[in-house]
Amino acid sequence: MATELQSRARPVTRRSADGDAVSLDADAVTFAYPAGRRGAVQALANVSLHAAPGELLAVVGPSGCGKTTLLELICGLQAPDAGSIACTPAVLMPQRDLLLPWLSAVDNAALALRIARLSRAEARQRAAALFAELGLDGFQHARPHELSGGMRQRVAFVRTLLSGKPLLCLDEPFGALDAITRGEMQEWLAGTLAREPRTVVLVTHDIEEAVLLADRVVVLSPRPGRVVAQFEVELGGPRHRTDPLVIALREQALSALGMGGRG
């Protein structure tokens, strides 16, 4: 069924080395896809990272470095070949919105609640309440083809929120949008998470997007993905692309990838 993909992991309470609680604790994770026509593909190698409750952790890296694979491992859709992952229950929002064309926007958003066996009326009521908050009021009964790309992503995000999972794994949520809409959606996501706090792992190849949204950024190398840098983003909001620290952190991430000075 076209909906978010959810883990079945039981809640865990973990502590980092300094004693802080964590929602996600990945330790020395390694994963390879089985041999095919091109042989085995090593996706990730010895990746360790954690996310504190309420933190937005951005994972950046070049195409094919294992970012999506990492989210699938976090959500329990695949198992690592080596290492371990412990986390609170998680839900994956894939790159594509996966809205069902025969359902209205509000019924698409309410799918997670319907799967949880809520009545159609109650599921619609809870989804519709978020539509007003998230700038979708008036589009509850629109079909997906009647919505803009940004609206479709908002509907998909409402569906993700309504899963009730404390850990959201967002896979390139704005990658298919044009630059103007992408910027608007980045601002919208920051505002939404301020109102609906969750722990978030955001995968993106856009380093600027990571710095604008995240509390901490992890940089992966080209395949197989390894952690080559991570840094705190010590900025409040709202953030702007022209902020000196945003520019400096962007360059720091590019340098970690061997791309410093390329703009």
Side-chain angles (χ1 to χ4, degrees):
M1 177 175 289
T3 186
E4 273 60 44
L5 306 173
Q6 303 178 26
S7 78
R8 299 179 181 273
R10 290 183 296 174
V12 298
T13 301
R14 287 293 181 111
R15 299 280 168 179
S16 63
D18 57 9
D20 293 333
V22 295
S23 293
L24 167 65
D25 187 11
D27 182 32
V29 170
T30 295
F31 182 84
Y33 288 96
R37 287 183 298 174
R38 299 183 179 180
V41 175
Q42 185 77 27
L44 297 167
N46 199 37
V47 171
S48 295
L49 50 81
H50 70 273
E55 182 177 23
L56 196 160
L57 174 69
V59 180
V60 302
S63 179
C65 74
K67 302 186 297 297
T68 295
T69 300
L70 178 61
L71 294 187
E72 292 175 352
L73 292 169
I74 291 170
C75 288
L77 303 176
Q78 306 207 59
D81 297 326
S84 63
I85 296 178
C87 65
T88 56
V91 56
L92 172 62
M93 178 177 166
Q95 293 181 29
R96 297 178 59 193
D97 59 66
L98 300 180
L99 300 185
L100 300 178
W102 58 88
L103 292 182
S104 66
V106 72
D107 284 333
N108 267 291
L111 270 177
L113 299 176
R114 295 287 288 141
I115 291 171
R117 299 184 183 278
L118 267 69
S119 69
R120 177 174 295 178
E122 185 177 357
R124 282 178 170 174
Q125 183 177 15
R126 288 183 56 184
L130 282 176
F131 271 49
E133 291 181 22
L134 305 184
L136 289 166
D137 199 23
F139 292 92
Q140 289 89 336
H141 302 295
R143 301 291 181 181
H145 73 272
E146 298 174 308
L147 302 174
S148 69
M151 288 179 175
R152 291 174 65 106
Q153 287 301 96
R154 292 186 194 197
V155 172
F157 190 75
V158 171
R159 185 176 60 194
T160 305
L161 283 177
L162 289 173
S163 72
K165 304 300 182 183
L167 175 57
L168 310 182
C169 292
L170 310 182
D171 188 3
E172 299 275 9
F174 312 133
L177 303 179
D178 62 83
I180 294 175
T181 305
R182 187 184 186 104
E184 292 173 347
M185 290 298 294
Q186 289 166 354
E187 294 180 10
W188 169 83
L189 178 61
T192 299
L193 291 174
R195 295 189 299 272
E196 294 269 348
R198 304 289 175 91
T199 306
V200 177
V201 181
L202 168 70
V203 150
T204 178
H205 66 270
D206 185 334
I207 294 172
E208 187 176 80
E209 177 173 86
V211 175
L212 286 171
L213 293 173
D215 301 304
R216 189 157 46 88
V217 177
V218 172
V219 183
L220 296 185
S221 69
R223 189 175 61 238
R226 297 180 172 86
V227 176
V228 293
Q230 57 180 306
F231 48 85
E232 305 287 335
V233 183
E234 296 179 347
L235 275 174
R239 302 173 187 177
H240 304 285
R241 287 166 174 76
T242 54
D243 290 340
L245 186 55
V246 169
I247 295 171
L249 291 175
R250 175 178 173 273
E251 290 304 312
Q252 182 179 337
L254 287 170
S255 294
L257 290 167
M259 300 169 62
R262 297 189 183 184

